[in-house]
Amino acid sequence: MLDDLDRRILRYWQAEPSLSPGELAERCNITSGKAARRIARLQDQGIVQGSGVVIDWAALGYALEVSLRVTLDKTQANAFDVFMAEARQVPEVIELQTFLGRVDLRLSIIARDMGHYQQIYRSRILTLPHIAEIEALMHVARIKTQEGLPL
């Protein structure tokens, strides 16, 4: 699926996402046109799904992150779909993951402080449909966040 040139492009791009196709071409010793075509193909194939900005939430006043493990009442038809659709509408939910096992979903929530979190939890989270059980884990430190692959 990937050849050596694709892996080289991805290695450089992962390390420095701000590199332009021309800069990637220079580092990979290929023409800008070839780099642009390879990048377009990687995007078309869904291997590269986009690039973005990493925001430091704490710098914007969000000092608290809480991870909620949620178990749903699966006796209700479409419990997952309804819950996820409504959870997506909560602006402070920055991540939503589904799991197999005892825990069905995990929500990452950011808040300015404990009072703000309690307000979000009571007014926005506990009102979400089909919750059977919920467990909160207070985020203490982010040890590793790299999403890059060893290419």
Side-chain angles (χ1 to χ4, degrees):
M1 179 140 98
L2 295 178
D3 63 16
D4 288 338
L5 179 55
D6 291 330
R7 281 189 284 280
R8 208 168 359 156
I9 289 170
L10 290 173
R11 258 194 312 272
Y12 284 118
W13 210 7
Q14 276 186 150
E16 289 185 65
S18 63
L19 290 175
S20 69
E23 292 167 322
L24 283 169
E26 187 176 312
R27 295 198 183 179
C28 294
N29 294 317
I30 58 174
T31 66
S32 293
K34 187 170 189 172
R37 286 189 299 277
R38 289 289 183 124
I39 290 167
R41 183 176 52 77
L42 292 168
Q43 289 171 327
D44 290 344
Q45 291 177 341
I47 295 167
V48 173
Q49 296 182 351
S51 60
V53 174
V54 177
I55 298 171
D56 180 356
W57 297 109
L60 295 176
Y62 289 87
L64 192 66
E65 183 176 342
V66 179
S67 182
L68 297 177
R69 295 179 183 175
V70 178
T71 303
L72 297 177
D73 177 3
K74 293 175 281 297
T75 63
Q76 302 296 314
N78 298 324
F80 271 91
D81 296 333
V82 173
F83 179 91
M84 287 189 294
E86 291 195 29
R88 283 186 184 108
Q89 301 306 310
V90 179
E92 294 84 4
V93 173
I94 59 170
E95 187 172 20
L96 179 59
Q97 298 177 335
T98 60
F99 294 93
L100 293 175
R102 195 182 71 74
V103 172
D104 295 315
L105 300 115
R106 186 183 69 81
L107 286 72
S108 287
I109 298 171
I110 57 170
R112 291 185 295 277
D113 54 34
M114 187 56 78
H116 184 223
Y117 167 72
Q118 288 175 346
Q119 177 188 4
I120 295 164
Y121 184 76
R122 290 178 182 154
S123 67
R124 304 295 308 269
I125 302 302
L126 289 179
T127 61
L128 292 171
H130 309 302
I131 295 175
E133 186 179 326
I134 193 165
E135 176 187 12
L137 300 170
M138 185 67 61
H139 174 82
V140 175
R142 191 168 316 280
I143 306 303
K144 183 176 180 179
T145 61
Q146 182 179 0
E147 293 185 10
L149 296 175
L151 297 169

